[in-house]
């Protein structure tokens, strides 16, 4: 296991802990091919559908908006979406997702991150999707001075944070009273967003010091950083795995259009606008808030809780 070079001391967030993520907007090339994954495998319900976009979520709550505006799949070696993570309330919901992926012959990657169990897939355009079940009681992630292991289990054993999930154990969650082909349950939410960037230090400054999340990890070994509120796993993560020369993708390709951060009140939004101005970061006013971009060109919309 390589030594993790983490140059960051964890920091507390400036933002209120009630800050949350909302709908993530993603470009796709085909409604039918997208729905075969986002609806039939991920398990999101179609809430609204037009010729331009499909709103998916749970009940009336929109989690993912698919924009039917692309004629090419995700462009390689660009910034943009690495994955959006849907966090589920029960472990059997993760098992149901694996069942649907296997039935659809969709390649999936089950990974034990210690503070969560996560299963990754990609839609037909190359948009990354994670479904995660949070397990913070099983241990903690390491601080920079804790040594080589990425995490420690609750009983003090080192954990890589990248171990395979015991699929037999996971699938035992599917009991006769549970329909694994059903939709995502109430309580599932957009738990975190992970994006490709082209500079770790600039991204950490933006997400921690300007936006106001707490810094957790900045690893040159992994080529990754992340920020948090008051819980694990992260709420936003970023990596340079597409290279330091990565640029925003062409407009006609699939991928991230923007993701949404919801602040609890106007005072928090006003304080953020001051930090943006102090750092010479432009914003565009919108009827429901304002839009900004990170230093790598990833777009995000800021809203205030209704």
């Amino acid at each position: 296991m390589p030594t993790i070079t983490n140059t960051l001391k964890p920091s507390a967030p400036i933002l209120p802990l009630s800050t949350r993520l909302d709908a993530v907007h993603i470009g796709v090339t085909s409604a039918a091919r997208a729905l075969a994954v986002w609806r039939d495998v991920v398990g999101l319900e179609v809430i609204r559908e037009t010729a331009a976009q499909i709103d998916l979520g749970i009940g009336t709550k929109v989690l993912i908006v698919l924009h039917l505006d692309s004629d090419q799949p995700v462009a390689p070696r660009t910034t943009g979406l690495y994955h959006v993570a849907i966090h589920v309330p029960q472990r059997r919901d993760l098992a149901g997702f694996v069942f649907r992926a296997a039935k659809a012959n969709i390649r999936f990657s089950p990974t034990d991150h210690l503070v969560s169990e996560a299963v990754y897939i990609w839609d037909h355009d190359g948009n990354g999707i994670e479904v995660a079940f949070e397990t913070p009681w099983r241990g903690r992630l390491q601080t920079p001075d804790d040594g080589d292991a990425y995490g420690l289990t609750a009983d003090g054993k080192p954990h890589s944070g990248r171990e395979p999930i015991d699929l037999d154990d996971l699938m035992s969650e599917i009991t006769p009273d549970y329909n694994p082909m059903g939709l995502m349950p109430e309580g599932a939410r957009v738990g975190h967003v992970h994006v490709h960037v082209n500079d770790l230090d600039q991204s950490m400054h933006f997400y921690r010091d300007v936006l106001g999340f707490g810094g957790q990890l900045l690893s040159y070994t992994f080529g990754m950083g992340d920020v948090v509120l008051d819980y694990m796993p992260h709420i936003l993560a970023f990596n340079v795995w597409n290279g330091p020369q990565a640029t925003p993708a062409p407009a006609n390709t699939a991928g991230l259009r923007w993701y949404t951060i919801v602040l609890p009140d106007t005072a928090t939004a006003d304080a953020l606008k001051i930090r943006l101005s102090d750092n010479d970061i432009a914003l565009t006013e919108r009827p429901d808030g304002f839009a900004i971009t990170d230093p790598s060109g990833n777009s995000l919309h800021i809203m205030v809780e209704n």
Side-chain angles (χ1 to χ4, degrees):
M1 180 187 304
T3 298
I4 297 170
T5 305
N6 188 344
T7 66
L8 181 73
K9 291 290 186 182
S11 63
I14 301 170
L15 292 172
L17 302 183
S18 52
T19 301
R20 62 179 178 84
L21 296 174
D22 204 74
V24 178
H25 291 243
I26 298 170
V28 297
T29 60
S30 162
R33 283 165 60 83
L35 288 174
V37 175
W38 291 94
R39 180 192 59 197
D40 302 341
V41 176
V42 178
L44 297 176
E45 179 181 357
V46 175
I47 298 174
R48 286 178 293 274
E49 184 172 1
T50 69
Q53 70 183 53
I54 305 171
D55 298 354
L56 299 115
I58 299 163
T60 60
K61 176 63 176 175
V62 176
L63 301 183
I64 301 294
V65 178
L66 300 177
H67 292 258
L68 306 174
D69 60 359
S70 308
D71 56 27
Q72 298 292 324
V74 170
R77 314 301 291 177
T78 57
T79 60
L81 185 69
Y82 179 54
H83 61 244
V84 55
I86 308 296
H87 290 206
V88 293
Q90 298 186 69
R91 192 170 188 247
R92 71 179 186 178
D93 303 318
L94 182 62
F97 171 63
V98 171
F99 183 93
R100 295 190 296 274
K103 188 175 179 63
N105 199 30
I106 294 286
R107 179 170 64 94
F108 61 90
S109 176
T111 307
D112 184 350
H113 294 308
L114 183 60
V115 295
S116 70
E117 291 181 307
V119 178
Y120 301 88
I121 66 170
W122 295 262
D123 73 7
H124 294 296
D125 289 313
N127 293 303
I129 305 164
E130 174 185 342
V131 175
F133 175 63
E134 297 177 17
T135 59
W137 61 86
R138 294 196 300 140
R140 64 179 178 86
L141 301 184
Q142 298 283 55
T143 61
D145 300 324
D146 282 333
D148 292 351
Y150 184 62
L152 282 179
T153 64
D155 57 1
K157 296 178 181 178
H159 192 284
S160 72
R162 306 182 303 281
E163 298 175 12
I165 293 174
D166 182 339
L167 284 179
D168 288 337
D169 181 69
L170 177 62
M171 300 313 286
S172 71
E173 298 283 342
I174 299 179
T175 54
D177 64 330
Y178 176 69
N179 175 18
M181 293 302 293
L183 296 171
M184 280 280 183
E186 290 287 339
R189 72 190 200 284
V190 176
H192 70 268
V193 173
H194 190 154
V195 293
H196 292 290
V197 298
N198 52 32
D199 188 289
L200 291 179
D201 293 313
Q202 288 182 358
S203 298
M204 179 56 73
H205 173 68
F206 176 81
Y207 286 108
R208 178 191 61 191
D209 306 325
V210 180
L211 283 191
F213 291 100
Q216 176 173 260
L217 175 76
L218 182 61
S219 171
Y220 296 116
T221 306
F222 285 166
M224 173 184 164
D226 67 4
V227 294
V228 297
L229 288 169
D230 65 333
Y231 60 88
M232 296 179 182
H234 44 232
I235 187 167
L236 295 172
F238 46 89
N239 70 69
V240 291
W241 300 333
N242 277 350
Q245 305 304 318
T247 57
N252 67 323
T253 58
L256 181 68
R257 295 297 175 262
W258 69 85
Y259 62 94
T260 311
I261 297 173
V262 181
L263 305 178
D265 50 55
T266 54
T268 301
D270 290 342
L272 173 55
K273 286 183 177 181
I274 292 172
R275 294 197 298 275
L276 291 167
S277 177
D278 288 345
N279 285 272
D280 297 319
I281 297 174
L283 63 85
T284 301
E285 295 286 356
R286 293 171 45 87
D288 56 356
F290 56 92
I292 56 178
T293 60
D294 76 5
S296 299
N298 296 307
S299 296
L300 52 150
H301 289 184
I302 307 295
M303 297 172 58
V304 175
E305 198 77 62
N306 292 327

